[in-house]
Amino acid sequence: MKDKTETRSAKPVVLLCPAPQKRDRIFTADALKRLKNNFQVVHLEDSSDPGELDRRLPEAFAIVGQPDLDTGRLEAAENLRALINVEGNFFPNVDYPTAFSHGVRVLGCGSAYAQAVAEYSLGLAIDLARGISWQDAAMRAGEEKYVSESNSGAVLLHRAPVGILGYGNLGRRLHRLIQPFQNEVRIYDPWLPPAVVEEDGGIAATLEETLSASRFIYVFATATADSAHLLDAAKLDLLQQDARIILVSRAAVVDYEALHERLVTGRLYAAIDVWPTEPLPADSPFRELPNVILSPHRAGGIEQAFHSIGDMVVDDLLLMERGLPPVRLQPAAPELVGRYRNKPVG
């Protein structure tokens, strides 16, 4: 048995089980080296032993990943101080009240994707405004039209009224990114007081006001029991003629059948990066719509975003090992984390 001096000098144990992420996707060689230099890293991703997680839980200082953690497992993890989700969503497979009551910090990496998603969302909005990808397809098919004749339906993003649904990491980063376009920006987020929106130069508005007043709508709302089909048929009917809707967050917040019905009429334009079923079925009717930009859930998934996750994890684990609070990862709010209805991204 180890004596107390040896136990105190041992490196804290970090259980690395990042699925559905891959270890080498989120950790650069340098980041992984820093992690191993300061912690005893147990690579459960490489383990073929289904019982290793349970055997290792009592000694774990941190878990990087989000395996199933029921009450019993959390009770066994008597030294656990951090549970770090590296996929980007908090899943309902953890007994969060028990984790919080045991002093476990529940942390997420959602902010790592914010810049990538914001830039992609802006790109989709510009494409919806000017028809860039549609005209590219027309030229490749030998069906192009030139000069003003090719600009039917084109509008300026500059000074167009904008709506943002959901003002978390993604909404705030997008809001900063579009400042040069001088938009009037209405923001709907029922979890924030109006002062937060107004301090950033936005207009706090109801969902109905935001939809009816905006030509461009960015949908960043998170998936909860309350937000399921937040954009249903009635809400979609509030959108003005020729409104452009950019869907890059959670498919569950939109009634896709109702959206398709309204897109078929040609009254709306849409750029869609998230789908109720992924991959999008080959026979999906959305593939036939000429007023839709199709995107295969790629807004945030770029190498720079993935690598920033590993750096954030190592930086915050080093702080916590010194008895300091994490500063780079996003802490889960006990009042909110149980409300999410997120699913892993494939």
Side-chain angles (χ1 to χ4, degrees):
M1 180 178 294
K2 297 179 180 179
D3 62 31
K4 293 182 179 180
T5 302
E6 186 179 357
T7 299
R8 282 197 301 269
S9 64
K11 294 178 182 179
V13 174
V14 173
L15 305 185
L16 195 56
C17 44
Q21 293 282 26
K22 298 291 185 182
R23 175 189 60 217
D24 294 336
R25 171 187 277 179
I26 60 175
F27 288 100
T28 63
D30 287 343
L32 195 57
K33 182 179 179 180
R34 278 205 302 150
L35 187 66
K36 290 180 177 179
N37 284 346
N38 293 277
F39 300 93
Q40 180 186 343
V41 181
V42 179
H43 294 278
L44 294 178
E45 180 181 76
D46 299 333
S47 176
S48 58
D49 182 355
E52 187 170 9
L53 172 63
D54 289 301
R55 287 198 303 274
R56 293 285 193 167
L57 279 175
E59 59 183 330
F61 171 78
I63 298 174
V64 178
Q66 195 166 308
D68 295 338
L69 293 172
D70 59 16
T71 305
R73 279 182 162 174
L74 287 168
E75 294 286 354
E78 57 187 9
N79 293 303
L80 189 64
R81 292 295 172 264
L83 172 62
I84 303 175
N85 179 285
V86 290
E87 193 268 357
N89 303 294
F90 294 113
F91 306 137
N93 67 334
V94 172
D95 179 356
Y96 291 108
T98 295
F100 288 117
S101 71
H102 284 57
V104 178
R105 293 184 185 273
V106 180
L107 305 169
C109 66
S111 58
Y113 299 108
Q115 185 65 28
V117 174
E119 289 186 13
Y120 196 77
S121 300
L122 176 56
L124 291 175
I126 293 173
D127 198 350
L128 284 177
R130 300 303 306 274
I132 298 167
S133 59
W134 296 321
Q135 291 306 313
D136 173 84
M139 290 196 75
R140 293 177 189 278
E143 299 172 355
E144 73 271 17
K145 297 177 181 179
Y146 283 83
V147 198
S148 60
E149 196 175 0
S150 68
N151 276 319
S152 176
V155 298
L156 287 179
L157 180 56
H158 182 245
R159 293 190 175 177
V162 162
I164 299 175
L165 307 186
Y167 202 56
N169 292 319
L170 306 182
R172 295 180 195 209
R173 193 64 62 90
L174 182 279
H175 191 195
R176 291 199 294 269
L177 199 60
I178 63 173
Q179 293 302 311
F181 290 89
Q182 301 177 29
N183 306 110
E184 181 179 72
V185 181
R186 287 175 175 80
I187 296 170
Y188 168 72
D189 193 320
W191 292 358
L192 294 177
V196 173
V197 170
E198 292 161 1
E199 286 171 359
D200 284 353
I203 301 170
T206 66
L207 177 60
E208 291 77 9
E209 290 168 344
T210 304
L211 293 173
S212 61
S214 304
R215 168 158 265 181
F216 290 85
I217 298 285
Y218 297 90
V219 182
F220 299 124
T222 193
T224 69
D226 295 331
S227 68
H229 284 190
L230 179 72
L231 297 185
D232 57 15
K235 296 299 188 299
L236 290 169
D237 284 341
L238 295 176
L239 293 168
Q240 58 187 247
Q241 179 74 27
D242 291 338
R244 272 78 167 163
I245 183 168
I246 299 100
L247 304 178
V248 293
S249 184
R250 301 285 173 250
V253 305
V254 180
D255 181 340
Y256 277 70
E257 183 176 347
L259 176 61
H260 180 266
E261 290 174 358
R262 281 144 187 83
L263 288 168
V264 167
T265 68
R267 191 175 72 84
L268 305 175
Y269 296 83
I272 307 175
D273 185 54
V274 290
W275 305 92
T277 300
E278 294 180 357
L280 182 68
D283 61 351
S284 169
F286 281 92
R287 294 184 184 271
E288 306 301 322
L289 295 175
N291 50 336
V292 177
I293 297 170
L294 307 176
S295 178
H297 206 143
R298 61 188 297 268
I302 65 174
E303 185 177 74
Q304 288 164 290
F306 290 137
H307 286 173
S308 69
I309 295 171
D311 291 336
M312 293 162 67
V313 168
V314 178
D315 287 345
D316 275 356
L317 283 177
L318 289 173
L319 288 173
M320 285 185 280
E321 195 273 333
R322 293 165 52 201
L324 298 172
V327 298
R328 297 201 64 196
L329 293 159
Q330 183 173 6
E335 299 85 355
L336 300 180
V337 68
R339 300 187 185 188
Y340 298 133
R341 296 296 182 269
N342 298 321
K343 298 186 294 183
V345 176

